[in-house]
Amino acid sequence: MTVLALAMAAPYVFMMVSAFKAQDDIFSTPISFLPRDATLANIAALFDLLPYARWYLNTVIVAVLGTALTLFISSLAGFAFSKYEFRYKNVLFMLVLGTVLVPFQVLLVPQFQIVRELGGFNTYWGSSKLTGLGWSEGRSDARAA
């Protein structure tokens, strides 16, 4: 298992080490793992040429907002299902569990269209999970912020 973990981590480690290499070092043959002359120029260029800090902040905002909203709504629903007896409780619970069976890819285009029509395109609330709060968050999906 350790060998497999190291094999899977190797490309990421190589990528991180290559961030400190000069461009000639990156494209040289034979490939060297460690940089000959370590430099921070690539990191500086990242922040100079691209709004990377803003992108990172956007990711943090959307992730925190989406997680907080999901936890809040899921906690309320879980409490209601566990502590209260009400009509159609089992039917509603089965509907919530049934949403786990719906892959996120099926919901992606309709959710995008809803967000676009509501004016949420390229905004924080449109990027968060506001459109998916009615669905169970137990499914595995590849949402990117």
Side-chain angles (χ1 to χ4, degrees):
M1 202 65 144
T2 304
V3 172
L4 286 175
L6 290 173
M8 294 177 90
Y12 296 105
V13 173
F14 183 73
M15 179 180 59
M16 287 187 291
V17 170
S18 294
F20 298 101
K21 294 181 181 180
Q23 190 169 5
D24 295 337
D25 238 1
I26 293 173
F27 296 111
S28 68
T29 52
I31 297 173
S32 64
F33 183 74
L34 296 174
R36 290 184 197 128
D37 297 318
T39 179
L40 293 175
N42 295 331
I43 307 297
L46 174 70
F47 286 97
D48 288 342
L49 299 175
L50 299 170
Y52 186 77
R54 183 63 195 188
W55 293 345
Y56 191 77
L57 178 65
N58 287 347
T59 300
V60 169
I61 290 171
V62 169
V64 168
L65 180 64
T67 302
L69 287 171
T70 299
L71 284 173
F72 180 70
I73 298 296
S74 298
S75 298
L76 292 177
F79 181 80
F81 279 125
S82 68
K83 296 292 182 184
Y84 295 112
E85 290 297 326
F86 51 91
R87 188 184 306 190
Y88 304 118
K89 174 182 171 180
N90 291 333
V91 173
L92 288 173
F93 188 67
M94 287 300 139
L95 283 173
V96 170
L97 286 180
T99 62
V100 176
L101 301 174
V102 180
F104 177 71
Q105 291 79 3
V106 173
L107 304 172
L108 184 64
V109 173
Q111 284 186 1
F112 173 77
Q113 290 174 338
I114 291 169
V115 169
R116 188 186 60 201
E117 291 298 319
L118 292 175
F121 185 71
N122 211 15
T123 64
Y124 287 129
W125 74 266
S127 297
S128 68
K129 295 180 181 181
L130 286 175
T131 58
L133 286 178
W135 297 93
S136 173
E137 294 297 325
R139 66 189 183 275
S140 63
D141 57 340
R143 292 184 184 185

